[in-house]
């Protein structure tokens, strides 16, 4: 199928990043969120991100203006009825996504593709609840979306070859590099990455080293561009905790148990950059 219009559900960090990538690639984008305030924040974030790219001469001022003009916003899901593909970027909660997929199926045109940006949940279960299982696919982008090249393109058990091919082609057209992944908890990156972050939190919890020392050790000893605890702050400590809990629940293996400190950070509202404080302080 030909994709001309992309719908994005959610105007948070990931949703607005996906909207920006689509608009910058020349697609018409409908960014939907139930919160008018979140839509406003999302648009401001896109404007700021495009301005930075223009300042660095990665894009022209004209390209920035054209991308912004390609994005429309809406609070109603019904506004996504003209989209050829809808990419869902709502919070990582299975019950919420199951309910959302049912409403999206009712609003979308019959031949439209329904993609999820889930970082860990079962695409097969989401597809079964969608009313269009063969047209459901995973498109897991990475933060910050405008800069990160990877997209995990995930096949649910029901995903048709045509649907997968369309998601793969769209990823490439957005300037990304798609990696084909079977449906499995955490997929590829998060199944490896989040347990590594969790182990770094255990090191901190046990007093083995400070956050700064743990991060410095991984940067210098493993050639990582950013330490695991600083990365957790960037991803969102709540997201790391939820993914780790999903891995534990789905695999039933104690090696995936979340560190108690990880849960305490979530309970305290210390979620990383987005809350102003995580393993590091961003309030200054």
């Amino acid at each position: 199928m030909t994709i001309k219009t992309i719908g994005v559900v959610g105007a948070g960090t990931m949703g607005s990043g996906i909207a920006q990538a689509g608009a910058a690639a020349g697609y018409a984008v409908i960014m939907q969120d139930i919160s008018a305030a979140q839509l406003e924040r999302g648009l401001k974030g896109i404007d700021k991100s495009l301005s930075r790219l223009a300042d660095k001469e990665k894009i022209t001022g004209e390209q920035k203006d054209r991308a912004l003009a390609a994005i429309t916003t809406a609070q109603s899901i019904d506004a996504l009825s003209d989209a050829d593909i809808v990419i869902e970027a709502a919070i990582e909660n299975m019950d919420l996504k199951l309910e959302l997929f049912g409403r999206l199926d009712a609003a979308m045109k019959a031949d439209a593709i329904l993609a999820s940006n889930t970082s860990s949940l079962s695409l097969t279960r989401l597809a079964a609840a969608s009313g269009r299982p063969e047209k459901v696919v995973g498109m897991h982008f990475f933060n910050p979306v405008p800069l990160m090249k990877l997209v995990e393109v995930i096949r649910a058990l029901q995903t048709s070859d045509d649907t997968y091919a369309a998601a793969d082609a769209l990823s490439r057209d957005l300037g990304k590099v798609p990696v084909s992944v079977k449906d499995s908890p955490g997929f590829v990156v998060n199944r490896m990455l989040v347990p590594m972050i969790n182990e770094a939190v255990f090191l901190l919890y046990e007093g083995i080293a400070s956050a700064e020392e743990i991060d410095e050790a991984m940067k210098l000893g493993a050639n990582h561009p950013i330490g695991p605890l600083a990365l957790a702050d960037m991803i969102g400590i709540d997201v790391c905790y939820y993914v780790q809990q999903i891995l534990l629940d789905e695999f039933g293996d104690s090696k995936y148990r979340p560190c108690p400190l990880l849960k305490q950070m979530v309970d305290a509202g210390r979620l990383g950059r987005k809350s102003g404080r995580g393993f590091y302080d961003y309030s200054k």
Side-chain angles (χ1 to χ4, degrees), residues 145-158:
V145 176
L147 301 179
M148 296 291 279
K149 288 291 188 181
L150 178 64
V151 177
E152 290 180 325
V153 182
I154 304 136
R155 285 181 181 268
L157 192 64
Q158 309 95 315

Side-chain angles (χ1 to χ4, degrees), residues 65-183:
D65 293 341
R66 193 160 56 239
L68 285 172
I71 302 171
T72 58
T73 62
Q75 289 180 257
S76 171
I77 278 181
D78 292 338
L80 301 171
S81 60
D82 291 332
D84 302 303
I85 183 170
V86 171
I87 303 172
E88 168 272 315
I91 62 172
E92 196 74 343
N93 178 284
M94 177 60 85
D95 290 338
L96 183 147
K97 288 184 189 286
L98 289 172
E99 189 269 337
L100 178 59
F101 267 47
R103 290 194 289 130
L104 284 170
D105 177 59
M108 293 163 59
K109 56 188 180 183
D111 61 344
I113 293 170
L114 178 49
S116 177
N117 182 56
T118 179
S119 60
S120 58
L121 297 174
S122 168
L123 262 296
T124 297
R125 188 175 172 193
L126 290 173
S130 70
R132 57 181 73 208
E134 74 288 345
K135 290 191 172 295
V136 171
V137 66
M139 292 182 72
H140 180 212
F141 293 80
F142 289 78
N143 187 34
V145 176
L147 301 179
M148 296 291 279
K149 288 291 188 181
L150 178 64
V151 177
E152 290 180 325
V153 182
I154 304 136
R155 285 181 181 268
L157 192 64
Q158 309 95 315
T159 304
S160 71
D161 289 342
D162 287 346
T163 297
Y164 175 84
D168 182 90
L170 175 60
S171 300
R172 295 176 193 277
D173 204 37
L174 296 179
K176 307 302 182 186
V177 178
V179 171
S180 180
V181 181
K182 291 181 180 179
D183 187 20

